[in-house]
């Protein structure tokens, strides 16, 4: 589900894409939501149903279990809203918000879900920063159950079956280039996980992959540089704080 259907303005110079879990927020929202479950824990039989590559299906079962146990929407929203932002991330949002409007088109691509992301962004007052949010749709049904669905299907062997961020990024950049009549000057991708490595593979030499230092995305980029030099095209900037991202973005924003 892509929240926001209106076409963004066509004058933005740069595109910046954010992941959510362990990038914007400092924890995994899927892990945090368990704090709203009875005893703040899940039964072993439920945990044992997880299969690699099928995390979305697993979370559907987790949310169904929580509904059966009577966990209300307010309890889920409360634990999600309390997740701390990653270091320097709110300062990065402030930087983007105060740049001239023609600088950055800001997009979010996440394997979390609409309810978690929208709840958190609204709490910190950052929802309006994002022109598009690509994530798994999640809505409460009449029985009070948070129903989670997959974002799409794809054929990428690297990614979980419900989401390939490379497919999303490629389609978005292609569509926006057609709508704008020209490409973005640069594309920036801010992430941390293995599923953020996949979209970073299609970035070009003018683009930047901001990989959270010592997280899977950073390690995978380091490995590909060592194993197949020259294959990974983007500039890689490891980040420990949003301040590291601001520093690099400021330099590019001052380019003419």
């Amino acid at each position: 589900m892509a929240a926001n259907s209106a076409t963004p303005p066509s004058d933005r110079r740069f595109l910046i894409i954010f992941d959510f879990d362990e990038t914007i927020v400092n924890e995994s929202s899927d892990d945090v939501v368990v704090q709203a479950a009875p005893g703040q824990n899940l039964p072993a039989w439920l945990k044992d149903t997880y299969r690699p590559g099928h995390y979305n299906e697993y979370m559907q079962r987790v949310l169904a279990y929580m509904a059966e146990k009577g966990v209300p929407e307010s309890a889920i929203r409360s634990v999600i809203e309390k997740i701390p932002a990653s270091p320097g991330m709110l300062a990065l949002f402030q930087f983007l918000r105060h740049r001239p409007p023609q600088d950055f088109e800001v997009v979010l691509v996440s394997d979390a879900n609409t309810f978690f992301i929208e709840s958190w962004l609204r709490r910190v007052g950052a929802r309006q920063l994002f022109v598009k949010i690509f994530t798994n749709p999640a809505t409460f049904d009449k029985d009070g159950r948070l129903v989670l669905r997959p974002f799409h299907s794809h054929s990428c062997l690297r990614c979980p079956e419900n989401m390939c961020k490379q497919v999303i990024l490629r389609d978005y950049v292609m569509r926006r280039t057609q709508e704008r009549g020209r490409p973005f000057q640069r594309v920036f991708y801010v992430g941390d996980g293995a599923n953020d490595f996949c979209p970073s593979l299609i970035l070009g030499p003018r683009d930047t992959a901001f990989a959270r230092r010592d997280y899977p995305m950073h390690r995978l980029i380091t490995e590909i540089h060592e194993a197949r030099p020259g294959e990974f095209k983007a500039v890689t900037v490891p980040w420990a704080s949003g301040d590291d991202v601001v520093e690099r973005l400021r330099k590019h924003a001052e380019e003419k």
Side-chain angles (χ1 to χ4, degrees):
M1 177 178 185
N4 290 23
S5 55
T7 302
S10 295
D11 60 345
R12 306 293 191 257
R13 294 195 293 154
F14 308 116
L15 174 65
I16 183 165
I17 304 102
F18 285 87
D19 169 50
F20 183 69
D21 288 323
E22 298 185 282
T23 295
I24 290 176
V25 293
N26 207 26
E27 299 171 35
S28 164
S29 55
D30 285 340
D31 292 342
V32 169
V33 77
V34 174
Q35 294 173 14
Q40 299 190 351
N41 207 348
L42 299 176
W45 65 261
L46 180 53
K47 293 178 184 174
D48 289 345
T49 65
Y50 170 67
R51 293 182 299 140
H54 299 266
Y55 197 78
N56 185 265
E57 289 176 15
Y58 170 69
M59 283 307 299
Q60 290 174 36
R61 291 190 290 273
V62 168
L63 294 170
Y65 167 80
M66 292 175 68
E68 287 164 15
K69 295 298 179 183
V71 177
E73 175 180 343
S74 58
I76 294 176
R77 179 181 280 111
S78 178
V79 295
I80 294 300
E81 288 179 345
K82 289 186 176 78
I83 304 173
S86 292
M89 197 53 61
L90 296 182
L92 170 52
F93 286 177
Q94 281 290 95
F95 167 79
L96 292 170
R97 196 180 282 120
H98 290 110
R99 291 301 306 175
Q102 68 272 20
D103 275 0
F104 294 97
E105 181 164 311
V106 189
V107 172
L108 198 157
V109 183
S110 167
D111 199 9
N113 65 71
T114 50
F115 181 75
F116 291 1
I117 293 171
E118 297 265 359
S119 297
W120 194 90
L121 289 178
R122 289 185 195 286
R123 183 189 70 77
V124 301
R127 176 61 188 87
Q128 294 306 311
L129 185 61
F130 295 88
V131 298
K132 281 278 192 290
I133 296 174
F134 296 95
T135 190
N136 302 297
T139 51
F140 283 90
D141 66 13
K142 62 182 182 348
D143 300 318
R145 174 182 161 196
L146 184 56
V147 180
L148 176 65
R149 298 190 304 281
F151 177 79
H152 64 184
S153 58
H154 59 86
S155 57
C156 175
L157 299 178
R158 268 190 218 93
C159 293
E161 64 172 8
N162 63 294
M163 177 171 286
C164 173
K165 295 183 179 183
Q166 182 182 126
V167 170
I168 296 168
L169 178 58
R170 185 191 294 117
D171 289 351
Y172 185 77
V173 169
M174 191 180 305
R175 179 166 58 78
R176 292 295 292 129
T177 300
Q178 290 172 344
E179 290 169 350
R180 291 157 46 88
R182 65 191 187 286
F184 290 99
Q185 290 178 25
R186 297 181 188 274
V187 177
F188 305 103
Y189 191 105
V190 188
D192 75 286
N195 66 350
D196 297 311
F197 172 68
C198 192
S200 68
L201 288 168
I202 61 169
L203 299 176
R206 287 180 57 81
D207 305 328
T208 303
F210 291 100
R212 192 168 188 178
R213 187 180 298 280
D214 297 331
Y215 278 66
M217 180 188 182
H218 184 207
R219 289 196 292 269
L220 288 165
I221 291 173
T222 301
E223 287 170 12
I224 197 171
H225 276 309
E226 291 171 354
R228 299 191 293 280
E231 186 169 317
F232 190 87
K233 301 289 194 297
V235 176
T236 305
V237 177
W239 65 275
S241 163
D243 298 335
D244 303 322
V245 181
V246 169
E247 185 180 346
R248 180 59 65 110
L249 293 182
R250 185 174 277 118
K251 287 178 183 170
H252 287 306
E254 288 166 1
E255 299 169 352
K256 295 302 176 194

